[in-house]
């Protein structure tokens, strides 16, 4: 990686009339990072992405790219490119012309446009389909064409808004691997919006968890997963139990919860469901205070000492496995 391509939000705000969609968020993304903006529908992810792209005005605060304030530049002058959720390919143009389109807008001559579009199609393994119309492509192929089209301007930052949501589950996992590989090869920053925690965990070097127009927690993916700061983050990332104890609220990972004999553990519980998941068994139990927790046990551990719904058990965890939560 030659250039430092770090992106920064400083008190970035988006208002639509009186409604605040993005509320003064600040964050510094590492150079050449794969970052996911993660959060429930309506929390402000797309508004944030569109402000980076310049497709939406910035109401307050600023966006810096490599130290340069890009908040008010036209989209084509920012060094960013956007890949849309619906791919937005022109139906009447073939793949090659779709990919070359933005170069035509920039006045690049026909031979160079064709050569650079071919090079981008090569990058996403689509060169054999250059002559096809979008309607003659599968969902995955349309997505590759859209990727090539976004990358042809050689952006410093690629913006992707829910890029995998239109694909079936099998293809989604396959394209996820390819996106990650492409980002590594190009060494540029990818900012990928998703509401899927699995997708964010699988892809991202860093995640920014948003809730209600604000950043709830941000950092290296594993650091956030291992130590969620709030109940919202713990619940949203999944695989965590949020438990209210007399001494405060705790997050305990499902795979760190141990099932023991009744009276031989920190908490008493009664099994409410047992779900076989192949490699694991998810055992859910009611605990005091009308709460429920789920323990994820390896199939081996469970079947060596099987349990039944309605059985009284004890739930335990090692001291280091519980994290205190704020709110
Ligand atoms: P997300 O992508 O996380 O689902 P959005 O950024 O699309 O969230 O939306 C955040 C909030 O802003 C929502 O309440 C949404 O209804 C509102 N919003 C988004 N776009 C507009 C718009 N163009 N005009 C008015 N309100 C909008
Ligand atoms: Mg959105």
């Amino acid at each position: 990686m030659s250039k430092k391509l770090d992106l920064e939000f400083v008190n970035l705000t988006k208002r639509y009339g009186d409604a605040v969609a993005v509320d003064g968020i600040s964050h510094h993304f590492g150079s050449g990072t794969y970052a996911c903006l993660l959060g429930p529908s309506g929390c402000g992810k797309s508004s944030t992405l569109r402000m980076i792209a310049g497709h939406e005005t910035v109401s307050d605060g600023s966006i810096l790219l490599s130290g340069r304030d890009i908040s008010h530049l036209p989209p084509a002058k920012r060094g960013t490119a956007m890949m849309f959720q619906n791919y937005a390919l022109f139906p009447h143009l073939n793949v090659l012309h779709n990919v070359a389109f933005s170069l035509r807008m920039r006045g690049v001559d026909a031979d160079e446009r064709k050569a650079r579009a071919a090079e981008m199609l090569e990058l996403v393994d689509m060169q054999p389909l250059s002559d096809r119309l979008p309607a003659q492509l599968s969902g995955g192929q349309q997505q590759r064409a859209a990727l090539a089209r976004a990358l042809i301007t050689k952006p410093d930052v690629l913006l992707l808004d829910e890029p995998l949501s239109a694909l079936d589950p099998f293809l989604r996992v396959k394209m996820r691997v390819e996106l990650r590989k492409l980002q590594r090869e190009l060494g540029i920053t990818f900012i990928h919006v998703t509401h899927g925690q699995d997708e964010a965990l699988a892809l991202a070097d860093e995640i920014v968890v948003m809730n209600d127009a604000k950043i709830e927690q941000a950092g290296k993916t594993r650091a956030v997963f291992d130590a969620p700061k709030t109940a919202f983050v713990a619940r949203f990332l999944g695989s965590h139990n949020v438990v209210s104890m007399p001494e405060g609220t705790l997050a305990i990972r499902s795979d760190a919860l141990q099932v023991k004999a009744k009276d031989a553990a920190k908490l008493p519980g009664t099994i409410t469901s047992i779900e076989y998941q192949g490699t694991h068994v998810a055992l859910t139990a009611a605990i005091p205070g009308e709460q429920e927790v789920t323990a994820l046990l390896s199939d081996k551990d469970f079947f060596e000492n099987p349990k039944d719904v309605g059985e009284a058990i004890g739930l335990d965890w090692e001291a280091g496995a519980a994290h205190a939560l704020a709110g």
Side-chain angles (χ1 to χ4, degrees), residues 117-190:
E119 188 191 321
M120 285 300 129
L121 286 167
E122 185 87 54
L123 184 70
V124 297
D125 285 330
M126 279 285 289
Q127 227 192 351
L129 305 181
S130 301
D131 296 332
R132 296 248 187 117
L133 291 171
Q136 298 166 323
L137 301 175
S138 71
Q141 291 163 345
Q142 286 182 34
Q143 187 184 46
R144 283 166 210 263
L147 260 176
R149 193 179 57 170
L151 289 168
I152 199 162
T153 58
K154 300 205 187 305
D156 296 331
V157 178
L158 181 67
L159 307 166
L160 309 108
D161 195 351
E162 312 247 2
L164 305 176
S165 59
L167 304 175
D168 66 61
F170 177 78
L171 205 53
R172 197 177 303 155
V173 170
K174 183 164 179 273
M175 284 309 295
R176 188 164 93 183
V177 172
E178 294 193 18
L179 279 177
R180 182 69 238 210
K181 182 163 161 269
L182 195 59
Q183 188 272 336
R184 276 186 213 279
E185 279 170 17
L186 295 168
I188 64 173
T189 297
F190 278 28

Side-chain angles (χ1 to χ4, degrees), residues 49-68:
L49 207 69
R50 291 200 302 263
M51 284 192 284
I52 306 171
H55 299 152
E56 196 69 79
T57 57
V58 170
S59 306
D60 247 318
S62 48
I63 302 164
L64 309 178
L65 181 54
S66 312
R68 183 173 69 116

Side-chain angles (χ1 to χ4, degrees), residues 7-41:
L7 183 72
E8 188 174 359
F9 303 152
V10 184
N11 286 319
L12 184 63
T13 298
K14 180 67 202 178
R15 283 184 291 267
Y16 299 104
D18 291 338
V20 182
V22 179
D23 192 1
I25 62 173
S26 294
H27 183 70
H28 184 270
F29 295 90
S31 186
T33 197
Y34 201 122
C36 281
L37 296 185
L38 175 67
S41 178

Side-chain angles (χ1 to χ4, degrees), residues 289-303:
E290 296 185 8
Q291 304 184 82
E292 263 197 345
V293 291
T294 297
L296 195 63
L297 310 170
S298 75
D299 63 331
K300 180 168 164 290
D301 285 352
F302 180 83
F303 289 107

